[in-house]
Amino acid sequence: MGRRCGVLGDPIEHSLSPVLHTAGYAALGLDWSYAAHRVASGGLTDFLASLDGEWRGLSLTMPLKLEAVPLVDELTERARLAGAANTIVFDQGRLKGDNTDIPGAIAAIRERTSAPLATAVIIGGGATATSIGLALADLGVRDIEIVVRSPERGAETCETVHGHPGHPDVTVSRLDEVTAFDVDLVASTIPADAQDAHLVRACVAVPTIFEIVYHPWPTPLAASIGDRVLVSGFDLLLHQAAVQFELFTGEVAPLDAMRAAGEQALAASSGS
């Protein structure tokens, strides 16, 4: 039986999720569909109310990851810990909220590097930064610095990440006071146009850069990578989508087919 899935957010036009999931369905011969839907902040309740029994799952981008939490019937432990759900699974009339950014980030990092990670900086303080912080804590990072424009923007992320069962040490710093980072990994969750030369210089000695943005590409941080390790936003998108695919379909995600389709779409969008 054909089922429907989709990705919601605002803006949503740039999303590669339809490409990835559709390629996965084609590879496995599934008669499923997946499309992007623009849903602004405050619109998730009405959108959910409009769906029928054909629907199996939703992927959520900002600003809906936080909005989904009180609207579902059940949260997985990782979604509860993050306080954010980027995935909704429809299961016999019940809505289950999950957070695939956390396992997706872990898989993305470990695909690119097996180096031990003890210290990290996360630039930005939103829901994605929180999920990345929890993923890093799962990987054994015990010293995490949240770098934001204003300290109050990072307070909730700091508290949530410290609440991980490993209880990493988490501090908050101001972005305009950054000099140079001496850590194992820097993860940036801020837009490309917010990455100035000062920030790029501060990251120049960091061996692994996790650039969450995948459009536009390359970002200033990605362009400066040289021979260091780069974990890209596409890596994260692919691996979290693979977890979603398996939650929705019950099938093992055809990662190679999904990756190839995504890379082709990225190359086409950049004109290369």
Side-chain angles (χ1 to χ4, degrees):
M1 181 181 68
R3 302 298 296 270
R4 297 181 67 184
C5 299
V7 59
L8 316 180
D10 184 22
I12 199 62
E13 294 77 14
H14 70 285
S15 177
L16 284 179
S17 291
V19 171
L20 300 180
H21 285 262
T22 299
Y25 301 154
L28 297 187
L30 297 177
D31 182 24
W32 288 40
S33 64
Y34 187 108
H37 303 267
R38 184 179 179 184
V39 177
S41 178
L44 184 56
T45 298
D46 288 344
F47 187 89
L48 290 173
S50 72
L51 305 184
D52 59 25
E54 286 188 303
W55 286 81
R56 173 59 177 165
L58 297 173
S59 312
L60 306 177
T61 66
M62 296 306 293
L64 304 177
K65 295 181 183 182
L66 303 180
E67 192 170 319
V69 170
L71 300 181
V72 299
D73 300 303
E74 178 185 352
L75 283 174
T76 62
E77 178 58 23
R78 61 194 177 202
R80 186 202 61 76
L81 185 60
N86 75 330
T87 306
I88 296 178
V89 181
F90 299 87
D91 186 11
Q92 298 181 342
R94 290 177 58 82
L95 305 184
K96 183 175 182 178
D98 204 342
N99 187 312
T100 65
D101 283 335
I102 296 172
I106 292 170
I109 292 169
R110 282 306 175 217
E111 182 178 52
R112 299 299 177 187
T113 179
S114 60
L117 301 171
T119 58
V121 164
I122 301 173
I123 304 169
T128 300
T130 299
S131 296
I132 298 303
L134 294 170
L136 291 172
D138 277 350
L139 285 170
V141 176
R142 291 297 171 258
D143 189 346
I144 299 173
E145 181 180 2
I146 310 294
V147 179
V148 288
R149 290 189 180 91
S150 55
E152 59 270 16
R153 296 186 63 180
E156 186 173 352
T157 294
C158 179
E159 181 179 357
T160 300
V161 175
H162 181 67
H164 181 276
H167 300 297
D169 291 328
V170 187
T171 57
V172 179
S173 302
R174 291 178 57 96
L175 185 58
D176 58 6
E177 295 175 351
V178 164
T179 53
F181 296 125
D182 181 18
V183 292
D184 297 321
L185 177 147
V186 165
S188 174
T189 69
I190 63 175
D193 59 11
Q195 299 177 11
D196 58 18
H198 176 70
L199 176 60
V200 172
R201 285 194 301 271
C203 297
V204 72
V206 178
T208 299
I209 300 294
F210 191 176
E211 171 54 270
I212 307 306
V213 173
Y214 67 86
H215 180 78
W217 190 262
T219 66
L221 277 175
S224 72
I225 196 68
D227 59 359
R228 296 175 293 155
V229 174
L230 175 63
V231 185
S232 73
F234 176 71
D235 294 334
L236 171 60
L237 179 71
L238 173 66
H239 284 286
Q240 68 82 28
V243 179
Q244 288 181 334
F245 185 96
E246 294 176 3
L247 290 172
F248 295 162
T249 68
E251 303 284 349
V252 175
L255 197 65
D256 290 344
M258 295 169 72
R259 188 195 307 273
E263 289 177 341
Q264 182 178 6
L266 277 177
S269 68
S270 66
S272 61

